[in-house]
Amino acid sequence: MIANFNYSYFYNMHGYLFEDFKVRHYDFYKSVKLLYKKLPLYWIKDIPEEDVVYTLGALHLANARFFKKKFIFTEEYYPRHPLKDFIAKSYYRLFKGHLFFASTPITYEFLKNAGIDVMFVPPVFPRPKKPRGEFILYVGRPEPVKRSEYVIEIARQFPEEKIVMVGMSLTRTSYSFETRGNKEYLNEIKNNAPKNVELIESIPKEKVFEYYKKAKMLLVPSLSEGFGLPVIEALGHSVPVLATREVPSSSYLPEEWRVPRKESPLEWTKRVRKILENWDNEVEKALEYAKKYHLFKDDVFHKENKERLGEYV
């Protein structure tokens, strides 16, 4: 039995690996008082001894030091500075004997080099048809850290191209009492959007996938992201992606698609133009990188991962 503590992340990222296992879900965000949301102990003691606990984040690693259970930690770490990297490796080594999932190549290499028992476990998708190339796509909520204004500026430079921005609304999440998104920022985006920009409110994940199937490319100009799932979702649909280098999931992309955070909209415009001028070849490149990182569900790589997971559980 798998005890899952991260319902959304579990199914978006790794659910396919657990198709042959029974999974018990714990929604501690609803059942545990707000005070405990910031603490590392989430009533692990109440989980049956035979269950393997799947959880997310370095903070949750502390559970493994208090409770004698098997854990699967899904963790992302990105090398920053020699001293910070040394501290991180030392911390992770305290949890040898437990299994780690890494969903980006850079995290996998970091944990592997630290001597951690780690599996590279990317999200997966059905093998796609060639995208229809109807518009340039942006997927993200309206917050300054997402730099949606870059997309507006790019739209001004390509008046003949349709730009679709998905997620342009203020929504609440199940795990937060705060509104996600910035009202003033959203109004600014709406007021400055040229006629070739279409703003779409938040929609279910399966509907977002329909937009990937029609896209020419995806733009991810964020200053930072916790992970950056749209990068991989687009790549899994053979859609070229321009993303800020500092977005963790950009490590899936060819170097010329990774834009340093300091670059202005002018540099983004140049790279957009290059993809548009060579679009068929860039789509082939997206497919090549999706295969390289095993993003398709029928890849034999995932069968081997399931076998290894079965041995651990």
Side-chain angles (χ1 to χ4, degrees), residues 17 50 52 90 95 115 117 162 178 191 197:
L17 273 178
E50 65 274 13
V52 176
S90 300
F95 306 98
D117 188 10
K162 181 179 179 181
E178 299 177 356
N191 293 335
V197 173

Side-chain angles (χ1 to χ4, degrees), residues 176-217:
S176 175
F177 292 106
E178 299 177 356
T179 299
R180 303 300 294 273
N182 183 299
K183 185 176 181 179
E184 291 75 19
Y185 186 71
L186 175 58
N187 288 336
E188 183 178 328
I189 294 298
K190 288 179 176 180
N191 293 335
N192 292 328
K195 292 182 179 180
N196 59 327
V197 173
E198 181 181 358
L199 302 178
I200 306 294
E201 294 190 352
S202 298
I203 56 177
K205 178 70 69 178
E206 59 272 15
K207 290 189 177 181
V208 176
F209 285 177
E210 293 302 313
Y211 282 91
Y212 289 126
K213 294 174 183 178
K214 301 176 183 178
K216 279 186 179 177
M217 73 179 77

Side-chain angles (χ1 to χ4, degrees), residues 147-190:
R147 294 203 299 194
S148 310
E149 73 274 10
Y150 271 44
V151 181
I152 297 300
E153 186 59 36
I154 290 168
R156 294 185 186 283
Q157 304 305 315
F158 296 95
E160 73 285 1
E161 295 287 343
K162 181 179 179 181
I163 314 290
V164 174
M165 302 180 71
V166 175
M168 294 291 104
S169 64
L170 306 178
T171 58
R172 292 184 184 274
T173 63
S174 60
Y175 58 86
S176 175
F177 292 106
E178 299 177 356
T179 299
R180 303 300 294 273
N182 183 299
K183 185 176 181 179
E184 291 75 19
Y185 186 71
L186 175 58
N187 288 336
E188 183 178 328
I189 294 298
K190 288 179 176 180

Side-chain angles (χ1 to χ4, degrees), residues 77-97:
Y77 180 86
Y78 315 102
R80 300 173 176 86
H81 180 277
L83 178 58
K84 291 182 179 179
D85 295 346
F86 172 77
I87 293 172
K89 285 182 179 181
S90 300
Y91 181 62
Y92 290 133
R93 286 174 180 144
L94 294 174
F95 306 98
K96 281 188 174 182

Side-chain angles (χ1 to χ4, degrees), residues 211-226:
Y211 282 91
Y212 289 126
K213 294 174 183 178
K214 301 176 183 178
K216 279 186 179 177
M217 73 179 77
L218 177 74
L219 301 178
V220 186
S222 304
L223 285 169
S224 64
E225 290 280 356

